[in-house]
Amino acid sequence: MATERTFSILKPDVTARNLTGAVNAVIEEAGLRIVAQRRIRMSDAQAKKFYEVHAERPFYGELVEFMTSGPVVVQVLEGENAVAKYREVMGATNPAQAADGTIRQKFAKSVGENTVHGSDSLENAGIEIKQFFDDKDIVG
Ligand code: RTP
Ligand code: MG
């Protein structure tokens, strides 16, 4: 296994409920290291670009609206097998199907407001990290 970096977003339902530390605790307990982190308000253009793979899906408008509805925390996570590991720690997209102990099982309210994003491949992780972080701001 190799050390990887993945891109994470704590979505607006996290900041609204003051759960940043609680979610970060699950991330760190799983052995992932937060090597960059910033709280931002995503612009409409940023959210549309970030989720452009879903542009044709019926939930796209709602998704962009939700992601711009409040502050988010963007992060780079580092660790062994970090991409797959974080997907496992996040749990299924629909929190009703998320395994016990996962972030979405613990905190998510619905499939729309599902607490976290994590890159779905190493290639996408690289692309997504570049959208939000300069290399110099990632401290491993
Ligand atoms: P993410 O990209 O946010 O990490 O989540 P994911 O891979 O588990 O799910 P994906 O299929 O990529 O969907 C992206 C986000 O769109 C919202 N969604 N809403 N209303 C719906 O049926 C629906 N389906 C997906 C979720 O916020 C999901 O995380
Ligand atoms: Mg996805």
Side-chain angles (χ1 to χ4, degrees), residues 79-129:
E80 287 295 310
N81 217 12
V83 173
K85 178 69 173 283
Y86 189 44
R87 296 288 296 189
E88 198 181 302
V89 172
M90 286 161 55
T93 307
N94 181 350
Q97 283 152 20
D100 277 359
T102 62
I103 292 169
R104 284 168 168 164
Q105 182 269 323
K106 282 172 179 274
F107 303 115
K109 295 188 276 197
S110 66
V111 68
E113 303 198 5
N114 64 357
T115 306
V116 277
H117 162 82
S119 306
D120 58 13
S121 68
L122 192 57
E123 187 191 357
N124 282 337
I127 293 168
E128 293 171 0
I129 288 168

Side-chain angles (χ1 to χ4, degrees), residues 52-65:
E52 79 188 343
V53 293
H54 296 309
E56 304 306 318
R57 309 281 283 279
F59 57 79
Y60 182 64
E62 248 174 57
L63 177 57
V64 169
E65 200 174 308

Side-chain angles (χ1 to χ4, degrees), residues 41-62:
R41 187 73 185 244
M42 238 191 228
S43 70
D44 188 65
Q46 259 177 327
K48 280 182 173 152
K49 182 174 163 54
F50 184 75
Y51 277 117
E52 79 188 343
V53 293
H54 296 309
E56 304 306 318
R57 309 281 283 279
F59 57 79
Y60 182 64
E62 248 174 57

